[in-house]
Amino acid sequence: MSDLDTLSQPGTSAVPSDVLRSLTADDRKHRLYLVDPYLREGLLHFSTVGALSVAHDLTFVVLKPDAVAGRRCQLIIDTLRERGWLPVAATTVRFHPVLTREVWRYQFNAASEQRIAVVDHLLGSGDSLLVLLTDHQRPDWLPASVRLTAQKGAADPTGAHPADLRQRFGRVNGLFNFVHTADDPADLVRQLQLFAFDAGWDWCAEALTRSAQTDPAVLERAAGRVATLVADLEAQIPAHDLDLRASLERLRHRDDEWGAHARRSASREHIGDWLAALVRVPLPPGAARWDLLTVLTCWIECNEPNVAAVIPTARPDEWLSAR
């Protein structure tokens, strides 16, 4: 018997196994989340407010700082609306290194050292927009979160499909992919709990009810809230083309160490020199920060070769077979 099997034996978890089984079709995730403290706390909140019954109807999207800099936010919200996902609540969250590693706790094992060196600078570039969504087009058997994750597509461009939402959003590379979503209802509960440590629960209290998902007044207020927050974020983060060639050219004209790097190390094989400098040289402010992030994210390798995530992305067919 493995350590994981031992941990998930009766008497080792306060998470009800049958409740968790209704939130994920992945056996390994079920075993791991039985002893995950964030899932446990999130379940307690969902149970207390009577929201477990709507967990399949809801999902969320996080619009990361690269979506703000690249001015993709309105495109993303409009596209999701066309596909049936409507905002019911919204707030902002600020990623910090611990939050990033806990949100992706079961995937970060596959992250490369280069990605780890860059991701905190990217996600720490400003607030992210967290939007709770209701799904008006999901089939009865498929949770909203699983449907959105399947249509969103892979984070890595090498695994992209032309129909992926990330392709429509104009994804640039493995880190400039603009959005994060919950893989399944278990992740919805777990990650909303993680975000609640920063944002609380009041921002979505009304939305965690079945009546709110079809109430025109709730949907109208949420749409207005999203528009206001997008405007606030775009006032904080300068617009940027996220273009590698243009970013390198602008950096070459800087009279600082990053300008020197751009002049002497303007190719991908020098990424090690850029990452070494990242440890000791502060990122430049304003638009130049996004020039640097564009270069770094375009040149790094995002994943360790031949290393699989502890928990892979949920697949719709798992839910069909679990009916």
Side-chain angles (χ1 to χ4, degrees):
M1 182 179 293
S2 70
D3 290 342
L4 178 57
D5 292 329
T6 301
L7 283 173
S8 58
Q9 290 301 300
T12 61
S13 170
V15 175
S17 178
D18 58 336
V19 173
L20 180 54
R21 180 61 71 187
S22 72
L23 301 177
T24 184
D26 185 298
D27 289 338
R28 184 168 180 81
K29 179 180 287 187
H30 180 267
R31 295 195 301 273
L32 285 165
Y33 279 19
L34 279 173
V35 291
D36 184 281
Y38 310 119
L39 186 281
R40 177 184 179 182
E41 291 180 71
L43 273 180
L44 177 61
H45 181 80
F46 266 63
S47 299
T48 300
V49 301
L52 278 176
S53 64
V54 299
H56 283 221
D57 301 315
L58 294 171
T59 188
F60 66 73
V61 62
V62 176
L63 281 65
K64 302 182 297 173
D66 45 306
V68 181
R71 295 303 188 259
R72 301 303 206 279
C73 294
Q74 196 59 54
L75 170 64
I76 292 167
I77 295 299
D78 290 345
T79 302
L80 293 177
R81 186 182 300 276
E82 291 171 8
R83 302 288 184 92
W85 293 284
L86 307 182
V88 286
T91 190
T92 57
V93 293
R94 175 65 71 101
F95 279 92
H96 52 76
V98 174
L99 177 60
T100 297
R101 283 150 185 77
E102 292 302 272
V103 167
W104 287 280
R105 169 187 278 265
Y106 301 102
Q107 294 77 37
F108 222 59
N109 65 294
S112 69
E113 291 183 9
Q114 294 181 351
R115 176 178 163 193
I116 291 170
V118 174
V119 68
D120 294 326
H121 295 286
L122 167 57
L123 293 179
S125 293
D127 288 342
S128 294
L129 178 62
L130 171 60
V131 184
L132 192 66
L133 304 164
T134 183
D135 188 350
H136 283 193
Q137 293 184 14
R138 77 175 186 89
D140 289 342
W141 60 272
L142 187 64
S145 47
V146 182
R147 188 171 85 87
L148 178 52
T149 293
Q151 291 200 24
K152 176 186 64 176
D156 187 344
T158 61
H161 185 278
D164 290 347
L165 288 174
R166 276 181 166 141
Q167 293 296 93
R168 183 169 177 183
F169 301 156
R171 163 252 301 285
V172 176
N173 55 50
L175 282 184
F176 280 1
N177 55 46
F178 306 132
V179 295
H180 167 65
T181 64
D183 276 3
D184 62 13
D187 283 320
L188 169 76
V189 173
R190 179 182 182 273
Q191 293 183 30
L192 284 180
Q193 176 60 50
L194 278 162
F195 295 135
F197 293 130
D198 176 57
W201 286 102
D202 288 349
W203 69 277
C204 64
E206 181 182 35
L208 294 179
T209 63
R210 189 172 300 281
S211 61
Q213 297 175 39
T214 55
D215 187 332
V218 172
L219 298 177
E220 183 178 357
R221 285 197 299 272
R225 176 67 170 160
V226 169
T228 297
L229 291 176
V230 168
D232 290 345
L233 291 173
E234 290 183 350
Q236 297 170 23
I237 297 178
H240 197 275
D241 52 33
L242 307 182
D243 180 84
L244 174 60
R245 187 169 298 181
S247 293
L248 272 172
E249 185 60 28
R250 287 188 290 263
L251 285 172
R252 287 190 187 101
H253 288 88
R254 290 186 62 83
D255 186 23
D256 61 9
E257 188 158 350
W258 293 118
H261 268 285
R263 290 187 290 273
R264 70 172 179 263
S265 304
S267 59
R268 188 172 191 164
E269 56 262 31
H270 295 108
I271 183 61
D273 296 335
W274 288 75
L275 293 174
L278 191 62
V279 175
R280 54 186 177 78
V281 183
L283 270 68
R289 179 187 184 95
W290 288 97
D291 287 333
L292 179 58
L293 287 171
T294 299
V295 173
L296 293 171
T297 58
C298 283
W299 284 351
I300 64 169
E301 295 292 339
C302 280
N303 298 311
E304 288 292 332
N306 304 315
V307 177
V310 172
I311 298 178
T313 301
R315 302 192 321 270
D317 63 305
E318 294 174 328
W319 286 87
L320 185 60
S321 62
R323 294 182 73 186

